[in-house]
Each structure stands twice: as C-alpha cells, then as structure tokens.
C-alpha cells in the first residue's frame, strides 16, 4: 500500500490593505478578520490560522491593542502562524531592489520587536510574478522557504509543485511551494480542491498544502469549514488531512529535499498589463524611492 499524502490545511485570509478602496476599509477588514479568527481559534483547539504582513499587526496595535494581545497568545501557542513578516505583500517586479530590501527590513524589525521571532517562510501568494533577485533578498533576511501562487499552472510550466528556486545559476536558493488552484475557498471545500493540492508533487514527497478560507480581502476560515475538515480527515483514500501551517509543512519535507527539482530564473508572468505598468504609478514610486535614499544619506 502506498503512503498516503498528508494534506496540510492552511486556513488563511488574504488581504490587500489598499486595493480599490481607501486604507480605512482595509483596516476594517484587518480588524474584523483578526477578531473572527481569534474567536474561532478559541472555539476549535485543533484549528490553525496563517497570516503575514507586518502592516496588519501594526494597524491592529494602533486600533485595538487588546486584539493584538489575543493574537500574541495564539502565536505563542502555535495556533496563529506568522508568515512573510515583510511590511506588506508587495508587487515583486515593480519596486526596486532597494525598496524591497527596505520594506523587508522594516517589517522584520517590527515583527521581531512585537513577537520575538521572524518567520523563515516568506509569503507572497498574490504577487503577480517573482523577480530573479528575490531568493537573494529572502536568504539575506534569514528566510529559506517561499510560498507563492502566480504565475499559475496555465501561465508557467514548472517541474513540480515543490521545487528549489535560484534566480541565477549558482545564486542563493530557497525552497518554494506553488499553491494549487487558489489561496481561498469561496464555497464548500471539495475533494477536488484537496486532490488538486496533492497533484504535481515530486516523486518521493508525501506532503502538500491546501489553502482554505472565505475569499479575498479578509474573511478567513469559517466554523463550517473547520468542522467539515475535522470530520473528513480520513474520508478520502490516499489522503490524510491535518490542520497545519506553512512552517510545519516545510519541516515535514525537510528530509525529502533531494526529490525537489531545481528551477533557475524568474517566475513569470501573470496579469500582463495590470496596474503596475501604468506610467504615473511608476514615476511616483521611483520618486518616493529616491527621496527615501536621499533621506538616508543626509
């Protein structure tokens, strides 16, 4: 009998703090999601929630410090998984290398100060491509693992869902997991969603991550989802469902890395022609980057 694949269930709520709305609306989603997830973690001791972006926690600290205290309790218990830790989840092609280094550094400083730890798992599940310089930035920040989704299977062929990534030949290397399908579940969770997560694994790897949670821009897992997953842990032949986190997943595959193929170069493209190619945005971003550099030098 073949070894069943362990599906690490990653409950999450992707957030774009400033998308097509003012930042105050993003803050409302941050607070609502945080309160809801703390309530669910209190009610379901087996559940785990995953969230990144230092901005999220900084805003919570300003608006509802008692909520940040609740989150810290769950972090210390291993129930609220910190990932990413950068200031925001960025466009990974648009900013300069200088800007990426600075926003990683600002996020890392804040997360270390408030939580006493910085995640080894970098996390850009909705970034629209990944420049070849990123593995170097990750390793310089102490991050060895990366979770991404775009480009998806129909946009870029990769040798496996789990792979080693170098931006350049002989450059720094990180271990990457590409999410199958979506980082969210907009309706009921299905067997198909779980089996898609287990597809395209390297030979010899018996672990995968399946992401779940209501939609984009806040929300997260629901009680109904958690109960369904709990009740179906052994329901699907060849799969074992386990509430988990990205860090636990990468720890589980640590002795299977010889099976992970190597990918070298950029991970591109998704949503060609989207917002980040607009000239006005580019010029304003570059001006802000130059002003920051000038301020640091004076």
């Amino acid at each position: 009998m073949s070894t069943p694949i362990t599906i690490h269930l990653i409950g999450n709520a992707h957030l774009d703090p400033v998308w097509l709305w003012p930042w105050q609306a993003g803050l409302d989603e941050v607070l609502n999601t945080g309160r809801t997830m703390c309530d669910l973690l209190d009610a379901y001791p087996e559940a785990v929630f995953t969230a990144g972006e230092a901005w999220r926690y900084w805003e919570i600290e300003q608006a509802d410090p008692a909520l940040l205290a609740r989150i810290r309790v769950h972090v210390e218990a291993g129930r609220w998984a910190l990932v990413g830790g950068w200031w925001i989840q960025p466009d990974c092609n648009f900013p300069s290398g200088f800007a990426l280094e600075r926003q990683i550094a600002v996020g890392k400083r804040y997360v270390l100060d408030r939580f006493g730890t910085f995640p080894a798992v970098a996390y850009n599940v909705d970034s629209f491509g990944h420049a070849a310089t990123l593995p170097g930035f990750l390793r310089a920040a102490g991050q060895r693992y990366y979770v991404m989704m775009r480009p998806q299977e129909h946009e870029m062929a990769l040798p496996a869902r789990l792979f080693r990534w170098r931006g350049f030949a002989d450059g720094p290397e990180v271990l990457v997991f590409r999410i199958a399908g979506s980082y969210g579940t907009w309706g009921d969770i299905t067997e198909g969603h779980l089996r898609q997560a287990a597809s395209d694994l390297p030979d010899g790897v018996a672990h995968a991550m399946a992401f779940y949670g209501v939609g984009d821009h806040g929300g997260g897992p629901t009680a109904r989802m958690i109960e369904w997953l709990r009740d179906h842990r052994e329901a699907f032949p060849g799969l074992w469902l386990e509430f988990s986190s990205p860090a636990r997943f990468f720890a589980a595959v640590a002795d299977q890395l010889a099976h992970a193929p190597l990918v070298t170069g950029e991970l591109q493209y998704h949503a060609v022609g989207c917002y980040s190619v607009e000239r006005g945005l580019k010029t304003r971003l570059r001006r802000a980057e130059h002003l920051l550099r000038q301020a640091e030098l004076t």
Side-chain angles (χ1 to χ4, degrees):
M1 178 180 295
S2 60
T3 302
I5 294 174
T6 298
I7 302 296
H8 294 251
L9 303 168
I10 310 299
N12 77 106
H14 171 62
L15 284 164
D16 286 327
V18 284
W19 184 56
L20 298 180
W21 49 22
W23 69 266
Q24 294 92 337
L27 173 58
D28 285 344
E29 294 299 332
V30 166
L31 294 172
N32 290 335
T33 298
R35 292 163 184 160
T36 300
M37 290 303 102
C38 281
D39 289 345
L40 281 174
L41 293 178
D42 290 342
Y44 296 93
E46 66 269 52
V48 179
F49 180 65
T50 291
E53 301 93 41
W55 180 91
R56 176 197 305 248
Y57 302 105
W58 181 79
E59 288 287 2
I60 290 172
E61 182 178 20
Q62 310 311 304
D64 188 350
L67 175 58
L68 184 66
R70 292 183 69 191
I71 291 171
R72 291 178 66 177
V73 170
H74 287 303
V75 170
E76 291 170 2
R79 309 281 313 292
W80 184 297
L82 298 174
V83 290
W86 303 4
W87 189 247
I88 59 169
Q89 184 179 148
D91 184 311
C92 291
N93 291 316
F94 197 10
S96 68
F98 164 77
L100 283 171
E101 287 180 319
R102 290 302 183 273
Q103 80 112 341
I104 294 171
V106 170
K108 182 175 182 178
R109 183 166 61 246
Y110 177 83
V111 172
L112 279 172
D113 184 67
R114 296 306 188 273
F115 297 99
T117 186
F118 184 68
V121 180
Y123 188 86
N124 289 321
V125 300
D126 200 32
S127 298
F128 284 10
H130 309 268
T133 51
L134 282 180
F137 294 143
L138 268 60
R139 293 305 298 262
Q143 297 184 307
R144 301 172 53 200
Y145 310 109
Y146 195 45
V147 180
M148 48 76 73
M149 186 178 75
R150 311 184 192 281
Q152 294 170 279
E153 288 87 342
H154 65 285
E155 296 166 316
M156 181 182 186
L158 290 170
R161 188 164 308 289
L162 179 72
F163 59 94
R164 296 176 293 124
W165 179 35
R166 296 177 185 171
F168 310 97
D170 300 321
E173 181 177 300
V174 292
L175 185 65
V176 180
F177 184 87
R178 178 164 70 175
I179 298 169
S182 175
Y183 49 68
T185 44
W186 280 258
D188 292 335
I189 301 172
T190 65
E191 179 181 357
H193 178 69
L194 300 171
R195 292 203 179 277
Q196 185 180 17
S199 66
D200 299 326
L201 293 174
D203 291 340
V205 173
H207 295 264
M209 287 191 282
F211 284 63
Y212 74 99
V214 175
D216 199 354
H217 306 125
T222 65
R224 178 176 176 177
M225 289 178 182
I226 294 170
E227 291 173 1
W228 188 89
L229 291 167
R230 179 193 61 196
D231 296 341
H232 288 77
R233 277 184 164 174
E234 301 179 72
F236 309 114
L239 302 181
W240 166 258
L241 310 185
E242 180 176 306
F243 292 101
S244 189
S245 69
R248 294 182 196 177
F249 163 77
F250 284 114
V253 299
D255 61 349
Q256 302 171 2
L257 300 189
H259 301 286
L262 175 65
V263 174
T264 302
E266 294 189 334
L267 305 179
Q268 305 288 5
Y269 289 98
H270 173 80
V272 175
C274 197
Y275 309 118
S276 63
V277 302
E278 197 271 324
R279 183 181 183 278
L281 287 175
K282 285 186 173 182
T283 56
R284 289 192 292 272
L285 176 64
R286 289 295 177 265
R287 176 171 172 75
E289 291 174 348
H290 293 162
L291 289 172
L292 174 60
R293 186 59 175 154
Q294 290 170 21
E296 289 186 351
L297 293 173
T298 58

